[in-house]
Amino acid sequence: MNTILIGKGEQPVRLLGHYGNRHGLIAGATGTGKTVSLMMLAEGFSRMGVPVFMADVKGDVSGLAMAGQSSDRLMQRAAKIGMEGFSTEASPVLFWDLYGQAGHPVRTTISEIGPTLLSRILELNDTQTGILEVAFKLADDQGLLLLDLDDLRALLGFVADNRKDISAQYGLVSAQSIAAIQRSLLSLEREGGTAFLGEPALEIMDLMRTDMSGRGVISILMANRLMLKPRLYSTFLLWLLSELFENLPEVGDLERPKMVFFFDESHLLFDDAPAALRQKVEQVVRMIRSKGVGIYFCSQSPDDIPNEILGQLGNRIQHALRAYTPRDQKAVKTAAETFVANPGLNVAEVISQLAIGEALVSTLQEGGVPIPVERTLICPPRCRMGALTAEEHAAVLARSPVAHKYDTPVNRESAYEILAQRAAESSAVKETAKPEQAEASESKGVVSDLLWGNKRRQGLVETMAKQAARTVGSQLGRKILRGLLGGLLGGKGR
């Protein structure tokens, strides 16, 4: 059970579990069968005992939770490919949803997601990102736990009130940039982002479950609403990959992966991504396979994946590409060049002729060497090809083993409460000081009235000044009189 039968070309084409962590690519134009291949691989890994995480961006992957409907056509296809003992069956499934509506809430804390990824979600510029990093550093230095948006708002308010002191210690912080970040937080909240940021935070091990029979649980992120915010979607999946990378131990190459991660609409990860973020993705993809995790990118064209990452994808399923435009023709050429050549197959010509349910396939075999590309009839999934009904979906959620853990939010003491308490204590100190200040001011007023007087009476200083003025005036007058008279009299006497 450590192999997955992908389909049949000139011979059966299999994916070996031993190389399942060497990553892969599922590509092809819309409507050519990518979803079928994705579901077939997810089932195969689950039957192998490998947990799977995947996003349902169109609402049709949820059928993995129900057995498919058998038909003569289906059985004939299975027999043609050589699927011995084929029967329809369901896979163990957990539903997740960032908005907490169609699945268990997926949450992470502000501290865990960090300033870099949070800036990408909020679509901040470099200056605003720098200020967000200052805020995170300040929170670390002061022991402020950042869990949800309320905590981040309170922290930004604290930074704004004390920006002169903070600027002197951490770097220039402007009120305009803080206001711009706060406006972005309002936008994120309006779009439902508050459900994603908070507690209880997702524990990675809950995505790495097996059921009682040993089959890997398929965790499906219900992303049809999330796709309206492509940057939030791609940043969340990147965060999830980073969490796997940081928390799982090194295990090297195993008989089968510890987990497989399908990244549907993966071009969104690289659209408008800065160089530093691309470098981080490349690092994660390059090194996470040593943690036993396989990443399978799903997109329309290999052109959507940067070359430095594309070169690390050893298992490839390429559905049809339609060469209607110069760009399409370039994509066909690129796709053809990514395969190991097969002397009996003109890949550039065949790639635009593939029927629905057919694909060009190349997988890693013994020694990690990719086999020459094969034109392959893809195996049908054993599950239902289509979405669940609302009742079926609710029934799957009701029997989930993690509902009690994630469905109820938790709000423990963090930055918001701590800063609010500090503000209240500061206000109380000021209120206590007011009567003393008033008493001191009143005493000062009495003394002032006594010394300087008021509208109704003279003060001691004014009274004494007038008295002194009269005395001095009287003495001065006498001296002047004596001087004048003495001069006159004296002159007359001489």
Side-chain angles (χ1 to χ4, degrees):
M1 291 296 294
N2 281 345
T3 64
I4 300 174
L5 178 62
I6 294 179
K8 184 178 180 181
E10 295 181 359
Q11 57 186 356
V13 180
R14 302 178 185 275
L15 190 153
L16 303 184
H18 185 58
Y19 296 110
N21 66 329
R22 299 295 180 92
H23 311 320
L25 173 69
I26 305 170
T30 302
T32 56
K34 293 194 305 294
T35 301
V36 171
S37 294
L38 190 150
M39 296 172 76
M40 175 271 299
L41 283 180
E43 281 185 340
F45 280 115
S46 176
R47 288 164 61 83
M48 197 186 292
V50 178
V52 173
F53 182 90
M54 61 195 308
D56 187 359
V57 299
K58 293 180 289 187
D60 53 359
V61 177
S62 62
L64 282 163
M66 292 291 168
Q69 185 174 0
S70 183
S71 65
D72 292 341
R73 183 180 176 184
L74 184 65
M75 299 306 292
Q76 289 171 4
R77 184 182 181 93
K80 182 177 180 180
I81 294 172
M83 301 176 68
E84 297 179 1
F86 176 82
S87 63
T88 59
E89 61 184 21
S91 295
V93 167
L94 284 177
F95 289 118
W96 303 87
D97 184 2
L98 256 68
Y99 300 104
Q101 297 178 354
H104 304 302
V106 183
R107 302 183 186 92
T108 186
T109 65
I110 296 286
S111 294
E112 286 178 344
I113 201 167
T116 301
L117 293 183
L118 186 59
S119 296
R120 179 170 167 81
I121 292 174
L122 297 175
E123 301 183 10
L124 304 182
N125 61 31
D126 291 343
T127 301
Q128 295 157 3
T129 299
I131 290 176
L132 197 60
E133 289 176 350
V134 166
F136 271 73
K137 174 61 176 171
L138 177 67
D140 291 340
D141 292 346
Q142 299 205 7
L144 299 174
L145 192 59
L146 302 177
L147 301 179
D148 52 26
L149 285 182
D150 286 341
D151 294 328
L152 186 56
R153 281 201 189 94
L155 178 64
L156 290 172
F158 179 80
V159 172
D161 293 339
N162 301 273
R163 63 181 182 275
K164 290 185 178 179
D165 294 336
I166 293 172
S167 294
Q169 184 175 356
Y170 296 94
L172 182 62
V173 174
S174 69
Q176 293 83 356
S177 293
I178 294 175
I181 298 172
Q182 290 172 328
R183 288 194 297 271
S184 296
L185 290 178
L186 284 175
S187 178
L188 179 63
E189 183 178 26
R190 186 173 60 251
E191 293 164 355
T194 49
F196 171 50
L197 299 168
E199 287 189 315
L202 176 68
E203 293 184 16
I204 292 300
M205 296 311 295
D206 282 326
L207 300 180
M208 304 180 69
R209 290 173 168 266
T210 56
D211 68 2
M212 298 296 291
S213 65
R215 294 190 59 172
V217 173
I218 302 175
S219 293
I220 299 177
L221 177 69
M222 304 303 293
N224 50 345
R225 179 183 173 191
L226 182 61
M227 287 303 296
L228 299 177
K229 284 291 292 178
R231 185 163 290 194
L232 177 59
Y233 166 77
S234 60
T235 306
F236 164 72
L237 293 184
L238 179 57
W239 165 80
L240 195 54
L241 281 178
S242 299
E243 287 292 297
L244 289 169
F245 176 70
E246 292 172 5
N247 290 286
L248 296 180
E250 295 278 345
V251 294
D253 290 327
L254 304 173
E255 286 301 312
R256 56 180 180 266
K258 294 183 67 174
M259 183 181 183
V260 168
F261 189 102
F262 288 97
F263 202 138
D264 201 2
E265 301 294 338
S266 52
H267 66 279
L268 296 174
L269 179 60
F270 308 105
D271 287 350
D272 301 322
L277 185 59
R278 285 198 178 204
Q279 186 177 3
K280 181 178 178 62
V281 175
E282 181 186 357
Q283 179 190 19
V284 170
V285 173
R286 185 183 300 277
M287 301 183 67
I288 202 171
R289 72 179 183 87
S290 64
K291 309 291 185 91
V293 177
I295 304 173
Y296 288 74
F297 294 92
C298 187
S299 193
Q300 291 199 7
S301 169
D303 265 353
D304 296 332
I305 313 297
N307 289 332
E308 59 270 19
I309 295 174
L310 189 63
Q312 301 177 48
L313 311 182
N315 302 299
R316 301 191 180 185
I317 300 177
Q318 175 67 62
H319 288 270
L321 289 174
R322 311 305 182 193
Y324 298 127
T325 66
R327 184 182 183 280
D328 294 338
Q329 293 168 5
K330 180 182 176 182
V332 168
K333 182 179 179 181
T334 301
E337 292 173 348
T338 60
F339 287 106
V340 176
N342 184 338
L345 194 65
N346 186 336
V347 176
E349 182 179 334
V350 170
I351 200 170
S352 60
Q353 300 173 353
L354 294 170
I356 296 174
E358 279 189 314
L360 295 170
V361 181
S362 177
T363 60
L364 298 178
Q365 298 301 306
E366 293 302 336
V369 178
I371 62 171
V373 60
E374 289 266 4
R375 182 172 183 170
T376 306
L377 185 64
I378 301 296
C379 291
R382 300 169 184 263
C383 64
R384 178 188 297 178
M385 291 297 300
L388 302 184
T389 65
E391 293 77 13
E392 292 169 337
H393 195 99
V396 174
L397 285 173
R399 59 176 182 263
S400 168
V402 299
H404 67 284
K405 186 174 182 179
Y406 293 107
D407 288 357
T408 304
V410 175
N411 187 17
R412 60 189 172 115
E413 185 181 69
S414 50
Y416 175 79
E417 289 79 13
I418 293 172
L419 291 174
Q421 183 178 359
R422 288 183 186 177
E425 291 173 352
S426 177
S427 177
V429 169
K430 291 179 180 178
E431 289 296 327
T432 304
K434 279 183 180 180
E436 298 177 357
Q437 293 173 353
E439 184 178 348
S441 177
E442 183 178 352
S443 299
K444 184 178 180 181
V446 171
V447 172
S448 176
D449 290 347
L450 181 62
L451 292 174
W452 304 103
N454 52 36
K455 293 181 179 180
R456 292 174 297 183
R457 62 183 181 185
Q458 293 181 348
L460 290 175
V461 173
E462 185 180 2
T463 301
M464 293 174 66
K466 287 181 178 180
Q467 183 64 35
R470 283 196 293 269
T471 301
V472 171
S474 176
Q475 293 174 350
L476 181 62
R478 286 196 295 272
K479 288 181 179 180
I480 295 172
L481 181 61
R482 281 196 301 269
L484 289 174
L485 292 176
L488 292 173
L489 293 175
K492 189 180 285 188
R494 289 190 296 269

